[in-house]
């Protein structure tokens, strides 16, 4: 069955518009609607020398069939100022958030089966006076979701996070029994319900070096992590850990694992990105909608050059198709 998906190009001065245009050079099995400035995409296609043609569509007459190769459906969302590749403009920050809002609202009202996002630039949005810490937190607030989970995935490895964009000094205090339980429940439920894994096996990192080494390097494993995991094991969840993060990511450990739960951003994601950079996807779990994203940033220095790879965006598309096809 043909489904409809929203595609947000992210920061207009970055590579997101380029990625969307390049992606539209091939045919796709579902209807993709880029929520973006038609003028931006037309100008960027010309600058890149692409034959891709942005075609305006509107909510009152969504196309029912996928666009042919070389055509990109666009729900026109005007910029505040013309965008120049590589040059950030705070005036366009509200435009970026409007594209995300339109996509998410469309998912909530059933117009879209899911949304796929290209990278935004957090710094320029904050420079515009808008508090913004990332897609994950923005979409959680917009959808009224009290707890979401960031998970990155590539071939053979999924890594979810208990904490996301926090200073390292704040991580330990943020790992509470309640938070760990909520994140683990969301990860387990979405692996089962959205990825079709009947009984997910999850490896859980410790917080401290050597998983605390029996309390000599920290007591979070003894006092928080292990008791919480045991309560969930008693309900039937297959949870292994807490394990030392420096040895958890060995092939032997990962061969019978559906996901790894890391305690903080730079504990798990460096391994994931080393293994699959350019071919990985960022998935927001726990939302009432499906949202996937690329695993990289705006790459301002490459915008408008054509020297980019659409691999991560393609994986994000395929993952959204998988998550909504059940």
């Amino acid at each position: 069955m043909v489904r409809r998906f929203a595609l947000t190009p992210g920061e207009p001065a970055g590579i997101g518009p380029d990625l969307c245009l390049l992606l539209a050079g091939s045919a796709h099995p579902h209807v993709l609607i880029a929520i973006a400035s038609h003028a931006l995409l037309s100008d960027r296609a010309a600058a890149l020398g692409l034959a891709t043609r942005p075609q305006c569509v509107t909510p009152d007459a969504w196309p029912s069939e996928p666009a042919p190769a070389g055509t990109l459906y666009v729900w026109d969302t005007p910029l505040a100022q013309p965008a120049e590749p590589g040059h950030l403009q705070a005036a366009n920050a509200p435009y970026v958030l409007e594209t995300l809002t339109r996509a998410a609202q469309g998912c909530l009202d059933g117009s879209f089966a899911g949304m796929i996002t290209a990278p935004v630039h957090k710094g320029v949005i904050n420079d515009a006076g808008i508090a913004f810490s990332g897609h994950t937190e923005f979409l959680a607030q917009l959808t009224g979701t009290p707890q979401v989970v960031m998970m990155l995935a590539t071939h053979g490895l999924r890594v979810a996070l208990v904490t996301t964009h926090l200073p390292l000094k704040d991580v330990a205090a943020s790992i509470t029994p309640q938070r760990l339980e909520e994140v683990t429940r969301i990860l387990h439920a979405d692996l089962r319900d959205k990825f079709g894994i009947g009984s997910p096996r999850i490896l859980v990192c410790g917080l401290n070096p050597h998983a605390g080494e029996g309390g000599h390097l920290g007591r979070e494993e003894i006092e928080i992590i292990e008791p919480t995991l045991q309560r969930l094991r008693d309900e039937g969840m297959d949870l292994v850990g807490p394990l030392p993060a420096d040895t958890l990511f060995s092939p032997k450990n990962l061969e019978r694992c559906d996901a790894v739960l890391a305690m903080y951003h730079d504990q798990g994601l460096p391994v994931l990105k080393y293994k699959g950079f350019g071919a990985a996807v960022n998935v927001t779990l726990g939302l009432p909608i499906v949202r996937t994203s690329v695993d990289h940033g705006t790459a301002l220095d490459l915008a408008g050059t054509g020297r980019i790879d659409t691999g991560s965006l393609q994986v994000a598309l395929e993952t959204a198709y998988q998550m909504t096809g059940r």
Side-chain angles (χ1 to χ4, degrees), residues 113 132 189 209 323:
F132 182 84
M323 292 174 69

Side-chain angles (χ1 to χ4, degrees), residues 9-11 96-97 100 118-125 132 134-135 296-298:
E11 168 53 48
V96 173
L97 299 186
L100 296 177
V120 298
H121 194 286
K122 300 181 185 71
V124 75
I125 296 174
F132 182 84
H135 277 109
H296 55 73
T298 54

Side-chain angles (χ1 to χ4, degrees), residues 174-186:
S174 298
I175 299 174
T176 63
Q178 179 182 3
R179 185 186 188 102
L180 178 58
E181 180 175 336
E182 289 175 347
V183 168
T184 306
R185 287 189 185 280
I186 290 169

Side-chain angles (χ1 to χ4, degrees), residues 1 13 53 56 59 82 124 194 201 245 248 267 280 290 306 314 319 325:
M1 181 180 70
R53 182 174 66 91
C56 283
V124 75
K194 293 181 178 175
R201 182 178 178 85
L248 180 153
Q267 183 181 57
V290 167
Q314 183 63 46
T319 303

Side-chain angles (χ1 to χ4, degrees), residues 67-298:
T71 297
L72 178 61
Y73 293 140
V74 181
W75 183 6
D76 188 29
T77 307
L79 288 164
Q81 294 182 2
E84 183 179 349
H87 296 277
L88 295 170
Q89 294 173 294
N92 282 328
Y95 154 84
V96 173
L97 299 186
E98 176 63 15
T99 65
L100 296 177
T101 300
R102 285 186 170 190
Q105 292 291 355
C107 290
L108 289 171
D109 69 23
S111 296
F112 304 121
M115 61 185 288
I116 300 97
T117 62
V120 298
H121 194 286
K122 300 181 185 71
V124 75
I125 296 174
N126 284 281
D127 288 344
I130 303 169
F132 182 84
S133 57
H135 277 109
T136 302
E137 296 83 357
F138 179 81
L139 292 172
Q141 182 177 12
L142 191 149
T143 60
T145 307
Q147 179 71 63
V148 294
V149 175
M150 177 188 289
M151 183 179 79
L152 269 73
T154 190
H155 179 69
L157 180 62
R158 301 182 183 96
V159 177
L161 304 176
V162 177
T163 63
T164 53
H165 301 122
L166 288 178
L168 193 56
K169 66 181 179 63
D170 297 334
V171 168
S174 298
I175 299 174
T176 63
Q178 179 182 3
R179 185 186 188 102
L180 178 58
E181 180 175 336
E182 289 175 347
V183 168
T184 306
R185 287 189 185 280
I186 290 169
L187 174 59
H188 183 272
D190 276 11
L191 287 172
R192 184 190 60 212
D193 299 338
K194 293 181 178 175
F195 288 88
I197 302 170
S199 181
R201 182 178 178 85
I202 300 170
L203 304 189
V204 182
C205 296
L207 171 65
N208 297 295
H210 302 172
E213 200 155 292
H216 295 289
L217 295 177
R219 296 191 58 81
E220 286 84 0
E221 288 78 10
I222 294 172
E223 296 175 359
I224 297 172
I225 301 175
E226 172 57 30
T228 302
L229 298 184
Q230 188 56 52
R231 285 198 305 275
L232 297 174
R233 288 190 197 103
D234 291 343
E235 297 180 11
M237 292 189 194
D238 189 355
L239 306 172
V240 181
L243 300 174
D246 62 344
T247 54
L248 180 153
F249 291 96
S250 64
K252 182 178 179 180
N253 284 333
L254 295 177
E255 65 185 11
R256 292 189 60 249
C257 160
D258 296 301
V260 171
L261 182 58
M263 292 295 124
Y264 57 94
H265 188 281
D266 282 12
Q267 183 181 57
L269 296 194
V271 180
L272 185 289
K273 293 194 175 187
Y274 176 78
K275 178 177 174 62
F277 191 79
V281 57
N282 184 339
V283 184
T284 305
L285 304 178
L287 291 172
I289 63 175
V290 167
R291 178 260 171 166
T292 66
S293 182
V294 296
D295 73 335
H296 55 73
T298 54

